[in-house]
Protein backbone atom coordinates (compact mmCIF):
# COMPACT_ATOMS: atom_id res chain seq x y z
CA UNK A 1 0.00 0.00 0.00
CA UNK A 2 1.43 3.33 -1.02
CA UNK A 3 1.37 6.64 0.83
CA UNK A 4 -0.49 8.76 -0.10
CA UNK A 5 -3.44 6.70 -1.31
CA UNK A 6 -4.12 9.28 -4.04
CA UNK A 7 -0.89 9.63 -6.06
CA UNK A 8 -2.34 12.62 -7.93
CA UNK A 9 -2.57 14.79 -4.85
CA UNK A 10 0.67 16.76 -5.31
CA UNK A 11 -0.93 19.31 -7.65
CA UNK A 12 -4.19 19.39 -5.72
CA UNK A 13 -5.47 22.33 -3.70
CA UNK A 14 -5.62 21.77 0.05
CA UNK A 15 -8.96 22.28 1.81
CA UNK A 16 -7.25 23.84 4.83
CA UNK A 17 -4.40 26.26 4.19
CA UNK A 18 -2.19 27.45 7.07
CA UNK A 19 -2.58 31.06 5.92
CA UNK A 20 -6.28 30.75 6.72
CA UNK A 21 -5.46 29.66 10.25
CA UNK A 22 -3.32 32.76 10.77
CA UNK A 23 -6.11 35.00 9.42
CA UNK A 24 -8.62 33.48 11.84
CA UNK A 25 -6.25 33.96 14.77
CA UNK A 26 -5.84 37.59 13.79
CA UNK A 27 -9.63 38.05 13.72
CA UNK A 28 -9.80 36.48 17.17
CA UNK A 29 -7.29 39.00 18.56
CA UNK A 30 -4.49 36.42 18.80
CA UNK A 31 -2.02 38.06 16.43
CA UNK A 32 1.32 38.74 18.19
CA UNK A 33 2.31 42.35 18.84
CA UNK A 34 6.02 41.49 18.60
CA UNK A 35 7.78 41.82 15.19
CA UNK A 36 7.57 38.95 12.72
CA UNK A 37 10.79 37.02 13.36
CA UNK A 38 13.41 36.51 10.68
CA UNK A 39 13.79 32.89 11.70
CA UNK A 40 12.71 30.27 14.20
CA UNK A 41 14.32 27.52 16.25
CA UNK A 42 12.07 24.55 17.02
CA UNK A 43 13.01 22.77 20.26
CA UNK A 44 11.70 19.59 21.87
CA UNK A 45 13.84 18.76 24.89
CA UNK A 46 12.27 19.63 28.26
CA UNK A 47 15.56 20.33 30.02
CA UNK A 48 16.88 22.53 27.22
CA UNK A 49 13.63 24.48 27.35
CA UNK A 50 13.97 24.98 31.11
CA UNK A 51 17.41 26.47 30.46
CA UNK A 52 16.13 28.71 27.64
CA UNK A 53 13.44 30.02 29.99
CA UNK A 54 16.19 31.40 32.25
CA UNK A 55 18.00 33.39 29.56
CA UNK A 56 17.88 37.06 30.63
CA UNK A 57 17.77 38.39 27.06
CA UNK A 58 14.58 36.55 26.12
CA UNK A 59 11.44 38.53 25.24
CA UNK A 60 8.04 36.96 25.87
CA UNK A 61 5.76 36.52 22.88
CA UNK A 62 2.03 37.12 23.05
CA UNK A 63 -0.98 36.15 20.97
CA UNK A 64 -0.91 32.64 19.56
CA UNK A 65 2.85 32.52 20.19
CA UNK A 66 2.44 32.99 23.95
CA UNK A 67 4.82 30.68 25.79
CA UNK A 68 7.53 31.19 23.19
CA UNK A 69 10.37 33.73 23.17
CA UNK A 70 12.13 36.16 20.89
CA UNK A 71 15.90 36.48 21.09
CA UNK A 72 17.85 39.15 19.27
CA UNK A 73 20.95 38.25 17.28
CA UNK A 74 22.55 41.33 15.75
CA UNK A 75 19.63 42.98 13.92
CA UNK A 76 17.53 39.81 13.72
CA UNK A 77 14.64 38.77 15.94
CA UNK A 78 14.57 34.98 16.21
CA UNK A 79 11.66 32.99 17.58
CA UNK A 80 12.42 30.10 19.92
CA UNK A 81 9.50 27.73 20.26
CA UNK A 82 8.98 24.41 22.02
CA UNK A 83 7.05 21.89 19.96
CA UNK A 84 3.93 20.64 21.71
CA UNK A 85 5.02 17.04 21.22
CA UNK A 86 7.28 14.74 19.26
CA UNK A 87 7.05 13.42 15.72
CA UNK A 88 6.59 14.63 12.17
CA UNK A 89 2.90 15.69 12.22
CA UNK A 90 3.33 17.97 15.24
CA UNK A 91 6.55 19.52 13.95
CA UNK A 92 5.11 20.06 10.47
CA UNK A 93 2.00 21.80 11.82
CA UNK A 94 4.25 24.27 13.65
CA UNK A 95 6.42 24.78 10.57
CA UNK A 96 3.44 25.33 8.28
CA UNK A 97 1.86 27.92 10.57
CA UNK A 98 5.11 29.78 11.18
CA UNK A 99 5.79 29.86 7.44
CA UNK A 100 2.31 31.31 6.84
CA UNK A 101 3.07 33.88 9.54
CA UNK A 102 6.03 35.08 7.45
CA UNK A 103 9.11 33.22 8.75
CA UNK A 104 11.54 31.86 6.13
CA UNK A 105 14.46 30.34 8.09
CA UNK A 106 14.10 27.42 10.49
CA UNK A 107 16.45 25.24 12.49
CA UNK A 108 15.19 22.03 14.03
CA UNK A 109 17.14 21.61 17.29
CA UNK A 110 16.54 18.17 18.71
CA UNK A 111 17.91 14.91 20.04
CA UNK A 112 18.54 11.71 18.12
CA UNK A 113 19.64 8.14 18.63
CA UNK A 114 23.17 7.32 17.51
CA UNK A 115 23.56 4.41 15.07
CA UNK A 116 27.32 4.21 14.54
CA UNK A 117 29.45 2.14 16.92
CA UNK A 118 31.86 4.97 17.69
CA UNK A 119 29.19 7.45 18.73
CA UNK A 120 28.54 8.68 22.28
CA UNK A 121 25.75 10.47 24.09
CA UNK A 122 26.25 14.20 23.64
CA UNK A 123 27.80 13.96 20.17
CA UNK A 124 26.69 16.73 17.82
CA UNK A 125 25.29 15.86 14.39
CA UNK A 126 24.34 18.30 11.63
CA UNK A 127 21.75 16.60 9.45
CA UNK A 128 22.23 17.18 5.72
CA UNK A 129 19.66 14.64 4.53
CA UNK A 130 17.06 12.33 6.05
CA UNK A 131 15.58 8.99 5.06
CA UNK A 132 11.83 9.33 4.61
CA UNK A 133 10.58 6.42 6.71
CA UNK A 134 7.65 8.41 8.10
CA UNK A 135 4.28 9.29 6.61
CA UNK A 136 4.01 13.06 6.57
CA UNK A 137 6.64 13.88 3.93
CA UNK A 138 4.89 11.67 1.39
CA UNK A 139 1.93 14.06 1.34
CA UNK A 140 4.27 16.88 0.24
CA UNK A 141 6.67 15.20 -2.18
CA UNK A 142 6.55 12.09 -4.40
CA UNK A 143 8.26 9.00 -3.07
CA UNK A 144 12.06 9.23 -2.91
CA UNK A 145 14.44 7.85 -0.32
CA UNK A 146 15.79 11.15 0.99
CA UNK A 147 14.66 14.65 1.87
CA UNK A 148 17.32 17.35 2.05
CA UNK A 149 18.13 20.25 4.34
CA UNK A 150 18.63 23.77 3.03
CA UNK A 151 22.18 23.87 1.68
CA UNK A 152 22.76 27.54 2.44
CA UNK A 153 21.34 27.62 5.95
CA UNK A 154 23.13 24.36 6.80
CA UNK A 155 26.40 25.86 5.56
CA UNK A 156 25.89 28.85 7.87
CA UNK A 157 25.09 26.48 10.74
CA UNK A 158 28.28 24.50 10.14
CA UNK A 159 30.31 27.73 10.04
CA UNK A 160 28.79 28.92 13.32
CA UNK A 161 29.50 25.58 15.02
CA UNK A 162 33.08 25.49 13.72
CA UNK A 163 33.72 29.03 15.00
CA UNK A 164 32.98 27.76 18.50
CA UNK A 165 35.41 24.87 18.17
CA UNK A 166 32.64 22.33 18.67
CA UNK A 167 33.39 18.82 17.44
CA UNK A 168 30.57 17.53 15.24
CA UNK A 169 29.66 15.25 12.38
CA UNK A 170 27.43 15.89 9.41
CA UNK A 171 25.49 13.39 7.38
CA UNK A 172 22.22 11.49 7.09
CA UNK A 173 19.53 10.65 9.63
CA UNK A 174 16.78 8.03 9.53
CA UNK A 175 13.39 9.58 10.25
CA UNK A 176 10.70 7.18 11.44
CA UNK A 177 7.30 7.47 13.12
CA UNK A 178 7.56 4.10 14.84
CA UNK A 179 10.06 4.61 17.63
CA UNK A 180 9.31 1.20 19.16
CA UNK A 181 9.66 -0.63 15.82
CA UNK A 182 13.25 0.27 15.00
CA UNK A 183 14.48 -3.24 14.27
CA UNK A 184 17.93 -4.77 14.54
CA UNK A 185 17.87 -5.48 10.79
CA UNK A 186 17.17 -1.82 10.03
CA UNK A 187 19.89 -0.72 12.44
CA UNK A 188 22.44 -2.90 10.66
CA UNK A 189 21.29 -1.75 7.22
CA UNK A 190 21.43 1.96 7.94
CA UNK A 191 24.66 1.69 9.90
CA UNK A 192 26.27 -0.02 6.90
CA UNK A 193 25.06 2.88 4.71
CA UNK A 194 26.79 5.35 7.03
CA UNK A 195 23.58 6.79 8.46
CA UNK A 196 24.44 8.58 11.70
CA UNK A 197 21.21 8.96 13.67
CA UNK A 198 17.55 8.08 14.00
CA UNK A 199 14.83 10.57 15.01
CA UNK A 200 11.22 11.49 14.23
CA UNK A 201 11.01 14.86 12.45
CA UNK A 202 13.82 15.84 10.07
CA UNK A 203 12.66 14.24 6.80
CA UNK A 204 9.17 15.70 7.08
CA UNK A 205 10.47 19.17 7.95
CA UNK A 206 12.88 19.11 5.01
CA UNK A 207 10.07 18.05 2.67
CA UNK A 208 7.86 20.91 3.82
CA UNK A 209 10.77 23.31 3.46
CA UNK A 210 11.14 22.25 -0.15
CA UNK A 211 7.39 22.44 -0.78
CA UNK A 212 6.99 25.89 0.79
CA UNK A 213 10.35 27.17 -0.48
CA UNK A 214 11.70 28.09 2.95
CA UNK A 215 15.03 27.17 4.56
CA UNK A 216 15.00 24.27 7.02
CA UNK A 217 18.09 22.81 8.69
CA UNK A 218 18.48 20.37 11.55
CA UNK A 219 21.06 19.65 14.24
CA UNK A 220 21.02 17.07 17.04
CA UNK A 221 22.63 16.19 20.31
CA UNK A 222 22.80 12.39 20.57
CA UNK A 223 20.56 11.24 23.42
CA UNK A 224 20.92 7.45 23.19
CA UNK A 225 22.85 4.76 21.35
CA UNK A 226 21.24 1.86 19.49
CA UNK A 227 23.07 -1.49 19.43
CA UNK A 228 22.22 -5.04 18.38
CA UNK A 229 22.16 -6.16 22.02
CA UNK A 230 20.48 -3.24 23.73
CA UNK A 231 19.70 0.41 24.06
CA UNK A 232 21.99 2.79 25.91
CA UNK A 233 19.84 5.66 27.14
CA UNK A 234 21.16 9.10 27.90
CA UNK A 235 18.02 11.24 27.79
CA UNK A 236 18.58 12.63 31.26
CA UNK A 237 22.35 12.96 30.98
CA UNK A 238 24.39 16.11 31.33
CA UNK A 239 26.23 15.17 28.14
CA UNK A 240 23.05 15.35 26.04
CA UNK A 241 21.98 18.66 27.60
CA UNK A 242 25.47 20.15 27.29
CA UNK A 243 25.43 19.27 23.59
CA UNK A 244 22.14 21.10 23.08
CA UNK A 245 23.36 24.14 25.00
CA UNK A 246 26.61 24.24 23.01
CA UNK A 247 24.84 24.45 19.67
CA UNK A 248 21.97 26.73 20.69
CA UNK A 249 23.93 29.96 20.21
CA UNK A 250 25.23 28.64 16.90
CA UNK A 251 21.67 28.19 15.66
CA UNK A 252 20.86 31.81 16.47
CA UNK A 253 23.93 33.03 14.62
CA UNK A 254 23.29 30.83 11.58
CA UNK A 255 19.77 32.17 11.11
CA UNK A 256 20.90 35.77 11.50
CA UNK A 257 23.71 35.35 8.96
CA UNK A 258 21.52 33.55 6.44
CA UNK A 259 18.91 36.29 6.74
CA UNK A 260 21.48 39.02 6.21
CA UNK A 261 23.01 37.34 3.17
CA UNK A 262 19.60 36.77 1.63
CA UNK A 263 20.42 33.15 0.81
CA UNK A 264 17.63 30.62 0.27
CA UNK A 265 17.58 26.84 -0.17
Amino acid sequence: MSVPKNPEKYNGKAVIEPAGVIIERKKAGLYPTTPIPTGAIICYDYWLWQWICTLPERVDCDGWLKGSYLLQQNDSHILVIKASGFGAPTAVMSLEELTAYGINNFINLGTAGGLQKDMNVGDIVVCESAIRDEGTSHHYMPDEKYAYASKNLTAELVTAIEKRGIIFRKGTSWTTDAVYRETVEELKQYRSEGVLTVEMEAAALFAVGSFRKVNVSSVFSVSDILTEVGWNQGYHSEEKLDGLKQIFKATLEAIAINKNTGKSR
Side-chain angles (χ1 to χ4, degrees):
M1 301 291 286
S2 62
V3 176
K5 302 304 181 195
N6 179 1
E8 306 300 320
K9 76 173 297 175
Y10 299 108
N11 295 322
K13 178 176 173 54
V15 176
I16 303 172
E17 288 285 355
V21 175
I22 303 303
I23 290 170
E24 286 302 309
R25 289 174 179 168
K26 194 169 188 177
K27 289 179 180 177
L30 295 174
Y31 201 78
T33 59
T34 49
I36 294 177
T38 54
I41 300 167
I42 303 173
C43 304
Y44 306 85
D45 186 80
Y46 171 82
W47 298 109
L48 174 66
W49 190 252
Q50 293 301 108
W51 174 75
I52 290 171
C53 291
T54 67
L55 296 176
E57 65 269 31
R58 73 192 189 284
V59 175
D60 291 342
C61 296
D62 59 4
W64 66 278
L65 292 176
K66 186 175 182 180
S68 302
Y69 301 112
L70 282 182
L71 278 80
Q72 188 164 350
Q73 180 75 22
N74 301 327
D75 62 345
S76 297
H77 292 91
I78 299 169
L79 177 70
V80 185
I81 185 170
K82 187 179 185 299
S84 58
F86 298 98
T90 296
V92 161
M93 285 182 68
S94 295
L95 180 62
E96 283 274 36
E97 292 169 4
L98 293 172
T99 297
Y101 178 50
I103 301 175
N104 297 312
N105 295 289
F106 299 88
I107 293 181
N108 179 56
L109 175 56
T111 58
L115 302 184
Q116 297 299 319
K117 292 182 178 180
D118 61 345
M119 298 185 81
N120 297 293
V121 170
D123 284 357
I124 304 303
V125 175
V126 173
C127 181
E128 297 177 305
S129 60
I131 295 170
R132 298 170 60 194
D133 199 18
E134 39 63 58
T136 305
S137 70
H138 298 274
H139 293 272
Y140 287 85
M141 296 170 57
D143 185 36
E144 294 178 349
K145 184 170 181 176
Y146 300 103
Y148 296 92
S150 162
K151 290 183 179 180
N152 291 317
L153 181 55
T154 301
E156 302 296 1
L157 178 60
V158 166
T159 297
I161 292 173
E162 288 176 338
K163 280 175 57 179
R164 286 163 173 77
I166 299 169
I167 298 172
F168 71 99
R169 301 188 190 197
K170 56 182 178 179
T172 299
S173 188
W174 164 31
T175 304
T176 176
D177 292 328
V179 64
Y180 295 121
R181 288 299 299 153
E182 297 165 6
T183 66
V184 172
E185 290 75 15
E186 289 171 306
L187 166 63
K188 290 179 178 178
Q189 174 191 336
Y190 291 132
R191 181 190 289 155
S192 69
E193 294 177 12
V195 177
L196 297 177
T197 56
V198 58
E199 39 65 51
M200 301 179 70
E201 297 90 14
L205 292 171
F206 294 164
V208 177
S210 179
F211 183 81
R212 296 294 182 189
K213 294 181 172 54
V214 297
N215 297 303
V216 182
S217 294
S218 194
V219 59
F220 314 123
S221 176
V222 171
S223 56
D224 54 300
I225 306 295
L226 280 67
T227 75
E228 291 88 341
V229 296
W231 179 36
N232 300 327
Q233 299 185 48
Y235 291 103
H236 304 291
S237 68
E238 287 297 323
E239 290 84 358
K240 176 220 69 179
L241 180 57
D242 286 345
L244 290 169
K245 288 179 179 179
Q246 281 186 67
I247 54 179
F248 179 73
K249 293 292 186 181
T251 62
L252 292 171
E253 182 176 328
I255 289 174
I257 293 173
N258 199 68
K259 171 256 184 182
N260 290 330
T261 58
K263 292 180 178 178
S264 61
R265 293 308 302 162

